[in-house]
Amino acid sequence: MKICENVILDFSHIYPKDIESKIRGLKRIDLSDIEGTNMYCTKEAENEIRRRLAACSPHGIHFLDNGNYHYATKFFAEKVSFPFSLVLYDHHSDMQPSLLPGMLSCGNWAAELLRSHSSLRQLILVGPEQKSIEEIPSEFADRLVCISMEEIDEQVIDGKLSGIQMKLPVYISIDKDVLDKNGARTNWNQGSMSLRILEKLLLQVFEHQNVIGVDICGECSPMEPMRELLKDEKINKMTNDTLYSFLSGLFQIFATTLKNGKLFCKETGRSL
């Protein structure tokens, strides 16, 4: 499988028009002309998105637009053919029953990925309110580790490490709605995590496990009033720039995990 450059999935034109020309190795994939993608993704739209992402592997950094399109994580994660875990930083579980049965959505994609992808062995969910975690269907209990917004501190996280399958490589998905208003302005209600804490948590994952790739969503809505939009875009751009630089640095530090387009275990040197 070809390793695509780090990518922007452009559904709503919320990202700066010339950003890919200013950042080396960043490629824009325009998906804005595909009908049936906003919040819910029709089967026809799924097929077309997969077609346009055919040259992309799950490796690298992927920007997915705002939270309405978080289901695009599924299209990258389902490309992983070996056992792995998904680390999801999100203020919502994304495991809610769909109002339109049988249709992929931003609210049910994580559940659909757990149901359909046999290589996904575990999901580590960080950031929802405890009441949201309690609403997750019990069918996922044996493959799920949850850390609620109320539990995000070192003692609680360290206490839950024993439940995480540390030998599995991981794909990371970040919805910036897990962050407080100083770190992001999204089109969904937000949590209270600081950007500094998110960076610390990301570093811990890179230090202890092989990271396949990372995606980031959680932009604001382009339909906001202009004054609000300009302010929100400025905050989001600062956070996107920070995360892109931070994650790029981590991938460089742990670059030995990728060789000739394949993921290698850091401990054994064997391909996964």
Side-chain angles (χ1 to χ4, degrees):
M1 181 182 292
K2 177 183 176 182
I3 295 183
C4 188
E5 299 95 334
N6 299 331
V7 298
I8 288 174
L9 303 191
D10 185 0
F11 286 96
S12 72
H13 300 318
I14 192 63
Y15 297 108
K17 292 182 179 180
D18 58 347
I19 189 68
E20 67 269 30
S21 65
K22 296 180 179 179
I23 300 179
R24 184 177 180 182
L26 188 62
K27 177 181 179 180
R28 184 187 300 261
I29 300 177
D30 191 353
L31 306 173
S32 62
D33 61 311
I34 304 175
E35 296 182 357
T37 62
N38 191 12
M39 294 187 66
Y40 289 89
C41 188
T42 65
K43 292 296 183 182
E44 294 79 10
E46 281 191 54
N47 292 335
E48 180 59 19
I49 293 170
R50 285 192 179 93
R51 187 187 70 79
R52 297 191 193 185
L53 298 183
C56 296
S57 86
H59 306 302
I61 303 170
H62 318 123
F63 289 91
L64 309 183
D65 212 292
N66 68 51
N68 290 9
Y69 309 99
H70 199 173
Y71 60 75
T73 296
K74 184 174 184 289
F75 303 135
F76 286 106
E78 66 188 9
K79 293 173 180 281
V80 181
S81 59
F82 46 79
F84 75 105
S85 62
L86 173 68
V87 179
L88 174 59
Y89 300 98
D90 201 313
H91 189 51
H92 307 87
S93 73
D94 292 354
M95 285 184 261
Q96 297 297 315
S98 177
L99 296 176
L100 298 174
M103 189 175 293
L104 184 66
S105 77
C106 59
N108 74 356
W109 69 266
E112 292 305 309
L113 186 62
L114 276 168
R115 290 190 182 103
S116 64
H117 195 14
S118 60
S119 294
L120 179 56
R121 302 299 171 81
Q122 188 173 58
L123 194 156
I124 298 95
L125 175 62
V126 183
E129 294 179 329
Q130 183 59 38
K131 62 181 181 180
S132 296
I133 291 174
E134 292 170 358
E135 295 172 353
I136 296 174
S138 59
E139 65 181 285
F140 304 122
D142 62 337
R143 290 194 288 160
L144 194 61
V145 175
C146 296
I147 301 171
S148 70
M149 180 180 69
E150 296 87 348
E151 295 176 313
I152 297 176
D153 64 61
E154 291 186 13
Q155 286 187 336
V156 172
I157 291 174
D158 288 345
K160 294 197 176 186
L161 289 179
S162 61
I164 297 175
Q165 299 180 43
M166 301 296 286
K167 293 184 178 180
L168 288 175
V170 302
Y171 184 88
I172 298 172
S173 184
I174 303 166
D175 190 330
K176 295 201 302 289
D177 69 18
V178 77
L179 296 172
D180 60 29
K181 288 285 189 176
N182 294 318
R185 301 293 175 89
T186 79
N187 63 328
W188 291 87
N189 63 314
Q190 293 181 224
S192 57
M193 186 188 296
S194 68
L195 181 57
R196 182 185 65 82
I197 292 298
L198 176 59
E199 289 180 324
K200 185 173 182 178
L201 296 176
L202 290 168
L203 175 60
Q204 288 176 343
V205 176
F206 272 84
E207 286 178 333
H208 293 96
Q209 293 173 269
N210 292 282
V211 177
I212 302 164
V214 183
D215 66 47
I216 302 166
C217 74
E219 306 310 316
C220 59
S221 170
M223 304 306 293
E224 292 179 352
M226 183 56 66
R227 172 182 263 179
E228 183 179 344
L229 178 63
L230 292 174
K231 182 178 180 180
D232 291 353
E233 283 185 326
K234 182 178 180 180
I235 291 173
N236 286 336
K237 182 180 184 303
M238 290 173 59
T239 295
N240 286 342
D241 289 347
T242 298
L243 286 174
Y244 189 76
S245 177
F246 182 73
L247 290 166
S248 296
L250 291 179
F251 274 118
Q252 288 180 359
I253 292 170
F254 299 101
T256 53
T257 60
L258 282 177
K259 298 177 183 178
N260 299 323
K262 295 182 179 180
L263 189 75
F264 279 71
C265 175
K266 286 183 284 188
E267 293 183 1
T268 67
R270 297 178 180 176
S271 63
L272 299 171

